[in-house]
Amino acid sequence: MNNFQFYNPVHIEFGKGQISKLSKLVPANAKILMTYGGGSIKRNGVYDQVKEALSGHTLIEFSGIEPNPKYETLMKAVEIIRNEKIDFLLAVGGGSVIDGTKFISAAVNYEGDPWQILAHRDVSGIKDPLPIGAVLTLPATGSEMNGNSVVTKAETKEKLAFGTPAVMPKFSILDPEVIYSLPKKQISNGIIDAFIHVLEQYLTYPVNSPIQDRFAESILATLVEEGPKVYAEPTNYDAAANFMWAATMALNGLIGVGVPQDWSTHMIGHELTAFHGIDHGRTLAIVLPGVMRVKQENKREKLLQYGERIWNITEGTFEERLELIIAKTEAFFHSLETPTRLSDYEVPASTIDKICDRFEQRRITAFGEQGDTDIQQLRMILEDRL
Ligand code: NZQ
Ligand code: ZN
């Protein structure tokens, strides 16, 4: 196992009815900006629960944070905060609202153009970020328990990320009942996103870390078992609870310490969202099989371990097993009604050139856990998915 540091101070309140704890979690005299998305919280009762819990607090609302949150929208909230002297941010939503709120928090007291936080990953310039609390409404990203944020500039179609412990939520409330109102597509997106978060931190090369491997495999196995149950019946509380906690554990930092990480599938997937607006989880389902095939030599041992322990594939040559592993993984995504080819989303072959150009312009010409995935292999990964 490699050396590591691990620090995760996010206070989690998990379970039915826990939104009512908000009044104890938010500082008593805080002037709060409550951030949310397009209105799902008004239809499923979460908005009312939050308002009731915080009835004694000063609260201003900022709605309209879109899926794949836009820089342009978030900067409007920054303006309000500066004018209204807000001192606490409460994000009520999925990954987009929480990520967007992290960016808002970082941008408020940033000297200079806040786009630099994303364009140059300038986290050292973030001064006095506003404290954040979160009420999670969509298990998927792990944003509720990490310091990452992904923001899109609509003007240039750039989707970029930054990460710092400074924007980790002070607390997050995880009530599995929020899943009851999720559209099926968002449930499948969430299951697949969480599944691939684990694989990005697991499907690399062995460093003799059985505890990390088994943490990762427990999350994968849980998603394979519980995912289809919650997909078939979103009001199954136990399945919803297991899915929700699995998604949080997939990207709160724990399983990634001490082991190599990849993140190629995400880097490539973000470009498919930037150019074609495809949902994040779906982009990953498209890209992952290509990464498995093209990077099979680097990932050989962990691919075999994944095949054995998750899909019970124990026989055949490596080539035969690899194809079976990819087929089983894709079949899992298909069972959640998620297509896995670029053509299923009407993405033309010309997008491959655009993505390769972007990687070159950004000088991302050696990535993956071994730092040896180049533009030619990037092209092969995408051509594998046509
Ligand atoms: O906007 P509203 O009306 O709330 O509707 C949302 C949105 O349309 C809806 N929704 C959320 N909770 C609901 C609900 N509808 C009914 N009932 C509920 N309980 O779902 C739609 C999608 O929401 P969104 O927040 O965009 O989804 P998700 O949580 O999948 O977040 C995706 C974003 O997170 C980023 C992605 O790139 C993408 O921008 N990621 C963030 C990461 C992180 N912070 O660590 C890591 C991930 O890899 C990912 O990149
Ligand atoms: Zn993801």
Side-chain angles (χ1 to χ4, degrees):
M1 187 151 28
N2 301 332
N3 291 357
F4 66 85
Q5 266 187 343
F6 182 58
Y7 174 68
N8 192 322
V10 182
H11 171 158
I12 297 291
E13 289 286 348
F14 187 96
K16 232 180 247 195
Q18 298 308 297
I19 296 174
S20 61
K21 293 232 175 99
L22 266 175
S23 60
K24 293 195 184 73
L25 295 165
V26 171
N29 298 319
K31 189 166 180 189
I32 306 164
L33 185 73
M34 171 183 173
T35 52
Y36 57 100
S40 68
I41 62 166
K42 291 207 166 155
R43 293 186 291 275
N44 63 12
V46 170
Y47 176 87
D48 291 338
Q49 289 182 61
V50 170
K51 292 286 275 193
E52 195 187 324
L54 293 177
S55 55
H57 286 72
T58 313
L59 190 145
I60 297 176
E61 294 179 26
F62 182 82
S63 64
I65 297 181
E66 48 287 276
N68 308 306
K70 292 199 184 93
Y71 169 77
E72 290 86 347
T73 306
L74 303 172
M75 287 308 291
K76 290 182 190 154
V78 169
E79 203 53 44
I80 294 174
I81 292 166
R82 289 177 180 155
N83 293 334
E84 298 284 341
K85 308 270 183 282
I86 298 287
D87 46 29
F88 194 88
L89 301 175
L90 180 66
V92 185
S96 294
V97 170
I98 302 175
D99 280 13
T101 306
K102 289 175 180 172
F103 178 74
I104 295 167
S105 154
V108 169
N109 297 316
Y110 184 84
E111 280 171 28
D113 174 6
W115 182 246
Q116 299 308 316
I117 298 170
L118 293 148
H120 295 128
R121 291 207 177 201
D122 178 25
V123 294
S124 60
I126 298 172
K127 304 264 172 344
D128 303 322
L130 257 59
I132 300 169
V135 176
L136 179 68
T137 66
L138 198 177
T141 62
S143 188
E144 66 280 7
M145 204 175 172
N146 68 38
N148 305 331
S149 163
V150 192
V151 173
T152 299
K153 198 174 205 178
E155 188 197 340
T156 52
K157 292 195 173 175
E158 286 173 282
K159 186 173 189 190
L160 299 174
F162 78 100
T164 164
V167 297
M168 286 171 97
K170 301 293 168 212
F171 66 82
S172 284
I173 300 181
L174 278 59
D175 178 346
E177 289 191 319
V178 297
I179 292 170
Y180 298 175
S181 63
L182 276 174
K184 287 231 172 191
K185 193 169 90 159
Q186 297 303 341
I187 298 181
S188 58
N189 286 346
I191 296 166
I192 293 168
D193 193 18
F195 193 82
I196 296 179
H197 290 158
V198 178
L199 290 182
E200 299 270 33
Q201 301 165 87
Y202 168 86
L203 211 52
T204 58
Y205 55 88
V207 290
N208 197 358
S209 56
I211 182 91
Q212 294 304 79
D213 285 3
R214 290 193 171 101
F215 280 153
E217 287 153 2
S218 71
I219 299 171
L220 294 172
T222 301
L223 290 166
V224 169
E225 225 171 76
E226 301 293 308
K229 287 188 207 163
V230 71
Y231 187 70
E233 192 194 349
T235 54
N236 175 338
Y237 180 82
D238 290 335
N242 287 319
F243 162 43
M244 189 172 232
W245 189 227
T248 299
M249 291 301 292
L251 198 50
N252 67 359
L254 176 69
I255 67 167
V257 293
V259 296
Q261 303 190 15
D262 182 354
W263 297 104
S264 301
T265 300
H266 271 71
M267 289 164 65
I268 304 167
H270 284 338
E271 297 306 327
L272 291 173
T273 304
F275 284 123
H276 295 283
I278 304 169
D279 292 351
H280 173 66
R282 300 184 143 219
T283 67
L284 306 178
I286 300 169
V287 177
L288 175 73
V291 171
M292 285 173 157
R293 205 169 270 123
V294 173
K295 301 305 294 183
Q296 56 178 279
E297 281 314 317
N298 287 4
K299 297 180 184 297
R300 191 183 178 103
E301 288 173 70
K302 292 302 282 285
L303 275 164
L304 289 171
Q305 185 175 320
Y306 164 67
E308 268 187 47
R309 296 191 185 176
I310 303 302
W311 302 114
N312 214 7
I313 298 168
T314 55
E315 284 171 9
T317 63
F318 174 67
E319 288 69 26
E320 287 164 354
R321 287 200 206 187
L322 175 68
E323 284 312 312
L324 205 52
I325 288 164
I326 294 174
K328 289 267 191 189
T329 306
E330 279 195 75
F332 176 52
F333 302 155
H334 295 160
S335 76
L336 303 168
E337 296 176 283
T338 300
T340 53
R341 294 225 162 246
L342 289 167
S343 48
D344 296 322
Y345 301 86
E346 287 163 18
V347 174
S350 57
T351 294
I352 298 179
D353 294 328
K354 287 204 233 165
I355 295 178
C356 290
D357 287 349
R358 268 214 164 151
F359 272 60
E360 267 187 311
Q361 279 157 17
R362 293 188 190 140
R363 298 201 173 83
I364 310 172
T365 50
F367 56 100
E369 69 271 16
Q370 303 269 24
D372 65 354
T373 306
D374 56 16
I375 303 295
Q376 198 191 340
Q377 287 191 333
L378 167 63
R379 182 176 294 282
M380 285 163 70
I381 290 167
L382 286 163
E383 283 176 351
D384 182 76
R385 308 313 303 149
L386 279 169

